[in-house]
Amino acid sequence: MNPAASVFLLMVIALIVFLLPLLPVAVELHGKSDVQPLQVIQQHSGEASYFGDSFRVYIDNIRPVLNDCFAQGTAAKGTLPDGAPCLVLGRGEDAPLIADIQAGGTCDMILASSTDLELPSNTFFPKDIYSNGCVNGGPSNTYRAVLAEHEVRLGAGSRVMRWVQAGTEFTAQSQCQLFSRVSAGRLIRLLEDCRFIRLHAPRIETGSVSPEAADTHVLRRHGNDGVRRLHNADLSIAAGELLRGDLVVRGRLTIGEAARIEGSVKCEKDMVLGPRVEISGTVVTERRLQVGPYCILHGPVIAERGLLIARGTRCGARDMPTTVTAPRIMVETGVVVFGTMWAREQGEVIAAV
Amino acid sequence: MIYSLYAIVALICIYTARHYWFTLNRVFGFQRHPYIDIDTADWPAVTVLVAAHNEEKVIANILGALMRVNYPADKMLVIPVNDRSTDRTRHIIDEFVERFAGRIRPFHRTSGKAGKAAALKDAMEFVESEVILIFDADYIPAAGLIKQLTAPFFDPGVGGVMGRVVPMNVSTNLLTRLLDLERSGGYQVDQQARMNLRLVPQHGGTVAGVRRSALREIGGWNDSSLTEDTDLTYRLLLHGWKTVYQNRSECYEEVPETWPVRIRQIMRWAKGHNQAMVAYAVRLLLGRHRARLRERLDGTLLLGVYIMAPLTLLGWILALLAFYRGLAPLHGVLALLALTAYAAIGNLAAFFEIAAAVRLDGNRRRLCLLPCLLLGFTVSILSVSRAVVSQVWDALSGAEFHWDKTERFRKVES
């Protein structure tokens, strides 16, 4: 071969080898197959009731059928505009009598009821449920999602895979597992051994709490004096002590019985609150937080690793709701939270010691 | 000469290790998002400052978006800081003030020192709330963003908060696509890893917030700084305040669409960052203050990121000189091994970080553009080096810093 041609060929081959890895670049630049900006949800901010509210809009498609069935006291089968099969009940209390909703089976249709809905036990509901009244579920059921305009009562050992929204009250009997968000217009009550992720209601109770007990002691938030105290080591605050201003502690923090803090508290290690501690602001720890019995915590409660709340404690107030959040939350029966309780990994209601 | 080369290579290796550490932490480590779940609270009063200098193309978008957020309207006041605009910015702001009476209080600044920090400093006399959020005018906040950026201030240790910036004009051209990749790496991996590791997340001066009492404690805005955000980060740190990063508090921005605009932007960042380095590096590393050792080290490395560009150029020159003078660092063979290892692993570090970030964002095909980042990096290295030379020259000649406003590209809505 001509030497000049050989050199030229070599250069061409070298150029091809060099450019070959850039071929995908050229294809992507020309084809623009992945040019959408990262999706940022602009219209809502992930409210607990978002799914329930969206489902209500969806179910409005069959509102006339619901009304007809209610007027005639009958049931009807059909499909929603997107082709999803749907069972409409004019009388929700008749549900256990309908072949598609037999106990121990699977009801593979969206269920919509004009009145209170009675559901049998040991049944799997892989599609969403709507009731214009209440939903009373039997024990050991598994639900995908439930929306009720009034109360939702789940039997012991029930499971919810996605969400529940109750217009007024939500009650879960013992050993229920709520894998995602639960919201209610008035009250959420979880009994012993229930597990949860995200709860949102004006009032959240674990176990039985007398309504008065939790509301009698209302600590108003005081404007603190703007002082921020920084403490570089472990710190113990004595029982009964009163502290005004914000406190930031680099080590462990222990707050003694009946101490009062009129401000917020931050701790970079574990924090232990004794019985009847009152804190008017936020409680934050980068590790674990243990809240003793009968504490009153007014502001948000944030524990980055884990949180244990003992009986009789109250977080937030009726007119000043708040958020309690940690990856893992263990909460004894007899606790009241006004607002949101959010366990990223798992929350659990345990018996009061 | 050879020892200078060793020192530069050692610095590059430190930054390489840092890239890997951050990326591996972001992919495998415990992710900190402590405040993102606060969705119910007695929300405090908030003032939102919108810095605007000749922003007629974009100001209506951000004001409209702010009027739609889900923060209690009676607790949020928007102050557009109209800094000596000569276009229709003032007119557009006044229209919004009329439409949303009581929710927007304009500050039309007609004179005074140039620059965002100076404008924000003057605007502080209108701020009454403890929580201050700051946006540049080309940003478009989502409905829940104000709550998300306010939530960290419930923590009494937090002085500053930073959200994530997301380019919206990605598809425009190669530059915008490269900037999208860089932003992804910078926020999704770099900032979040710093948050995870309790290091020094950087305040970005937009999609960001600051506690008023903390700002007062550190002496307010530094109007002689070209990057008031970096300056703020370090002064907060030296006074024992934390800056936290919220990776899920995302906000759209417009990135530069032309190379000259990008070069001017990066030169301003470099100059401002280097100003902060001169002012705070020694004090941060060796001084008596409240920062922890890990914050001192990371903060110092962060201050040095822009000076690494000219140092890398210098390293290349020194390496060539060493080669032509027949020097064989580490007896040749070892040097060859080191070079090979660095070329194979070290140079990959930044690309690895960006690739991990892009995958974490759920994207895939845009990774094909990674080789093009070499172009972006080259432009950055040359621009930053030029900025450093010009900064040194300015310092020697006594010239004042010049504020370059980033040009906008959005089409004005009719």
Side-chain angles (χ1 to χ4, degrees), chain B residues 62 71 111 152 224 272 285:
Chain B
I62 184 168
Y71 206 82
S111 61
S224 61
L285 197 59

Side-chain angles (χ1 to χ4, degrees), chain A residues 21-22 24-48 198 200 221 226 228 230-232 246-251 264-266 268-269 281-284 286-287 299-300 302-305 319-327 338-340 342-345, chain B residues 30 32-42 65 68 70 140-145 147-148 151 153-158 164 166-174 177 180 188 195 198 211 213 217 239-242 248 250-252 290-292 294-295 358 361-372:
Chain A
L22 297 180
V25 175
V27 171
E28 176 54 27
L29 270 179
H30 179 72
K32 291 189 172 182
S33 66
D34 188 12
V35 290
Q36 291 305 311
L38 185 71
Q39 195 181 359
V40 178
I41 298 170
Q42 295 288 108
Q43 307 307 329
H44 68 92
S45 52
E47 291 87 357
R198 182 180 176 184
H200 176 78
R221 179 180 293 200
R228 184 181 64 130
L230 292 172
H231 197 86
N232 275 327
D246 294 338
L247 179 65
V248 179
V249 179
R250 283 260 168 98
S264 296
V265 182
K266 161 76 176 281
E268 295 186 10
K269 291 189 177 165
T282 313
V283 182
V284 193
E286 293 186 8
R287 300 276 180 85
I302 304 156
E304 289 196 37
R305 293 287 179 168
D319 58 347
M320 218 171 272
T322 194
T323 298
V324 174
T325 172
F338 295 88
T340 296
W342 194 334
R344 270 282 159 190
E345 293 170 16
Chain B
F30 175 76
R32 291 183 69 216
H33 305 281
Y35 314 105
I36 202 71
D37 291 341
I38 300 178
D39 74 346
T40 310
D42 179 22
R68 291 190 294 271
N70 66 2
I140 303 178
L145 187 66
K147 278 187 179 177
Q148 288 177 358
F153 290 106
F154 284 113
D155 180 340
V158 170
R164 180 174 175 186
V166 177
M168 62 186 295
N169 52 336
V170 184
S171 62
T172 307
N173 55 35
L174 175 63
R177 298 195 70 181
D180 174 60
Q188 180 65 278
M195 179 68 183
R198 295 175 172 82
R211 188 188 292 272
S213 56
E217 187 184 322
H239 284 79
W241 291 98
K242 301 280 184 201
R248 294 177 192 162
E250 297 144 332
C251 187
Y252 283 130
R290 294 184 177 278
R292 290 174 181 275
R294 59 173 178 243
E295 291 170 327
V358 170
D361 278 338
N363 296 315
R364 192 182 179 88
R365 297 283 305 164
R366 67 188 65 183
L367 278 177
C368 294
L369 298 182
L370 271 186
C372 294

